[in-house]
Amino acid sequence: MQSDLQRHMRTLWKKCRPNLDDETIDIYFSETYDPAMLSTAEDEKGEMAACSQFLMRRMNFMDRNLHIGILTALAYNPELEDEKLLPTVKESLKRQHQRMARHGALISLAFPSNEKERQLLQGCGYTIASHCIEGDPKVTEYTPVPDPSIVIDEETEWGRDLWLFYARNGGGHNFEVKMTENDFFALIAQNDVAGGHLIVARRHGHIIGIALIRREGKPLKSGKPSNKTFRTRIPYILAVQQDVFYRLLEHAKTIYPDSKQTMVTIACPPKGFEGSRPYAMVRIIRAEDFLKEVAATLPGLQLETGITHDEDLPENIGGYRLRRGKCYTSTECPPSATTPGGIPAIFMASQPALLPPVYGWEV
C-alpha cells in the first residue's frame, strides 16, 4: 500500500512528466525508492511543489572508485511561476547536497530530461558534463564469421546469472556508474514495461553478452512517432567482444523484421558532434577530497582553480592548487574560480562515458 507521501510524489511526477506511465513509477517505488534519501519542498499553500531522491553509488573515475550521489526522480510543479519555482527546487536540493556530503559523496550527477530541468539544475550549481548522440551501428555492414558455439535467445525469466555477468563485466568504462543489483533489474523491468525484449548470448552455456531492445516508431517531422515506419531502440547492451556485440544487434533484426534502423545512444564530448544533446550534469560536493583524488590519479597535472558561489556547501568556496600529486587549499579564490559544477565537468568532458538510463527516468 502506498503512503500519502508516495501518492503526492506520483501526482507531482504526473504534472511534471505527463507521459510517464504508472508501471514505470511502480518499478521506481519497488526497486529504487528510499524515503531516508528523499527531500521535498512545499509551496505557500503547504502542498508538495518539488521532490527528489538521491542514491549513493560508485563511479569509475580513471580507474579509481569514487563515491558519488545521483539525483533521481527530480520533479517540480510546472504551474509555479519562475520566480517561485527555482527557490523551491533549490530548497529541496540544498538538503540533498548537504546529505550527500555527510555520506561521503565527492560529486553529484543529475540527468535532466528537458531544457527546463537543465536550467533549474544550473541554478543549483550544476554544469553539463556529458552529451550524447543517436547512432546506428551499421549492422548491415558487418558479416559475422559462423560460430555454432554462440547461441542467442530471448530471455523471459531474469535469473541472477544475468546480474553476475554484469557484475563481472559492466561498469568499467571511464566515468561510468556501477549499477547495483536492484538498479540492474529495474532497468530490465523498465524495458519490459515498454514492450521490449531481453536477448542473451551464450557460449557453451556461459553468458557472453546481453542486450535490451524495443521497437519504436521513427520520429516524424512533427516529433510524434510514426505508426508505419519503425526502428529498434537499444537502451543497454554489454558484450565481452565486438563480435558478440554485432551478433546481438543482428539477432534483434529477427525479432523486429520490420525495423528500418537500429539506434544506440552514444556518449560524446560536450558540443563535439552535430546533433548531440546534453546528457549528464554534475556539481561538486566535497571539493578538496575530489581534487585530492584527481591529483593522485594525475600526478603530473598542474592546475590552479577555485570555487565560488556555493550556497549549499560554503566550505567548498576557496582556491585549489594541484602540484606533484597533491592538492593545496586557500581561502582566496583565484581569477580562474568557477561554479560548483565547473571543476568536475572539466574532467568528465575529456572522456565521457554513457551512464545507464536507470537512475530516475530515461532522458
Side-chain angles (χ1 to χ4, degrees):
M1 180 180 294
Q2 287 194 344
S3 65
D4 288 341
L5 179 60
Q6 291 177 355
R7 283 193 288 272
H8 287 310
M9 292 171 65
R10 184 183 292 266
T11 300
L12 194 62
W13 284 331
K14 286 289 190 178
K15 285 183 178 181
C16 189
R17 305 176 188 229
N19 294 327
L20 191 62
D21 59 87
D22 288 324
E23 289 179 298
T24 299
I25 298 177
D26 291 340
I27 293 169
Y28 172 82
F29 280 129
S30 65
E31 301 293 341
T32 309
Y33 177 68
D34 182 354
M37 299 299 188
L38 185 69
S39 177
T40 64
E42 298 178 346
D43 59 19
E44 297 173 346
K45 299 178 181 179
E47 297 179 355
M48 184 187 294
C51 68
S52 66
Q53 182 184 315
F54 91 87
L55 309 172
M56 282 294 295
R57 294 293 182 265
R58 288 180 178 270
M59 183 178 71
N60 180 21
F61 179 84
M62 299 180 182
D63 294 327
R64 298 174 78 92
N65 279 318
L66 296 191
H67 292 282
I68 67 169
I70 298 179
L71 279 180
T72 182
L74 173 65
Y76 51 88
N77 186 353
E79 297 171 3
L80 277 181
E81 298 175 357
D82 289 346
E83 62 268 19
K84 296 180 180 179
L85 180 57
L86 178 58
T88 302
V89 173
K90 289 181 72 172
E91 178 187 345
S92 173
L93 295 193
K94 180 177 183 177
R95 290 193 291 269
Q96 295 292 49
H97 298 149
Q98 293 173 344
R99 189 181 293 160
M100 288 179 192
R102 292 194 296 270
H103 280 75
L106 304 190
I107 61 175
S108 170
L109 292 176
F111 305 92
S113 62
N114 53 52
E115 187 58 32
K116 184 72 172 181
E117 285 186 26
R118 279 189 282 275
Q119 292 175 359
L120 289 171
L121 286 166
Q122 185 175 342
C124 299
Y126 285 81
T127 299
I128 295 172
S130 175
H131 276 55
C132 63
I133 192 169
E134 303 270 274
D136 188 338
K138 305 297 182 185
V139 181
T140 55
E141 299 177 4
Y142 173 73
T143 305
V145 177
D147 187 348
S149 67
I150 298 178
V151 178
I152 301 178
D153 289 310
E154 180 184 348
E155 298 275 322
T156 55
E157 296 185 4
W158 310 333
R160 199 161 186 271
D161 56 339
L162 296 170
W163 158 248
L164 295 176
F165 170 75
Y166 170 81
R168 288 192 299 268
N169 300 282
H173 292 101
N174 208 2
F175 305 118
E176 184 177 356
V177 176
K178 188 82 171 181
M179 286 189 282
T180 65
E181 187 169 354
N182 276 8
D183 294 337
F184 178 74
F185 285 111
L187 181 61
I188 296 176
Q190 285 180 13
N191 189 66
D192 184 67
V193 164
H197 300 265
L198 166 66
I199 55 176
V200 180
R202 287 182 168 84
R203 179 184 282 122
H204 304 303
H206 299 288
I207 298 177
I208 55 175
I210 58 176
L212 298 176
I213 63 173
R214 61 175 178 259
R215 193 182 72 160
E216 64 182 19
K218 290 189 68 175
L220 302 171
K221 290 183 179 180
S222 63
K224 296 181 179 180
S226 171
N227 294 322
K228 298 179 180 179
T229 307
F230 300 95
R231 65 183 185 182
T232 301
R233 163 75 55 190
I234 312 288
Y236 188 75
I237 186 168
L238 176 63
V240 298
Q241 299 169 338
Q242 187 177 26
D243 178 69
V244 178
F245 173 89
Y246 279 103
R247 286 177 187 272
L248 287 167
L249 299 186
E250 186 70 28
H251 188 81
K253 293 170 61 178
T254 66
I255 297 178
Y256 302 125
D258 59 346
S259 179
K260 305 298 182 182
Q261 196 176 28
T262 301
M263 301 304 295
V264 177
T265 305
I266 303 167
C268 64
K271 301 180 181 179
F273 296 92
E274 183 180 355
S276 67
R277 57 185 173 87
Y279 185 66
M281 296 186 77
V282 66
R283 75 117 53 215
I284 206 83
I285 297 297
R286 297 169 66 117
E288 184 177 356
D289 292 338
F290 172 74
L291 288 171
K292 282 180 178 178
E293 293 284 349
V294 171
T297 305
L298 304 170
L301 176 66
Q302 296 188 30
L303 176 68
E304 185 168 358
T305 186
I307 296 174
T308 183
H309 297 108
D310 194 342
E311 300 173 4
D312 296 356
L313 300 163
E315 59 270 27
N316 288 330
I317 297 174
Y320 300 89
R321 187 162 59 95
L322 274 59
R323 293 287 189 279
R324 300 184 180 89
K326 294 185 178 181
C327 174
Y328 302 91
T329 63
S330 170
T331 56
E332 299 293 328
C333 284
S336 57
T338 182
T339 63
I343 291 178
I346 291 172
F347 298 99
M348 291 188 66
S350 64
Q351 224 177 343
L354 192 65
L355 304 165
V358 66
Y359 305 107
W361 328 121
E362 290 185 48
V363 297

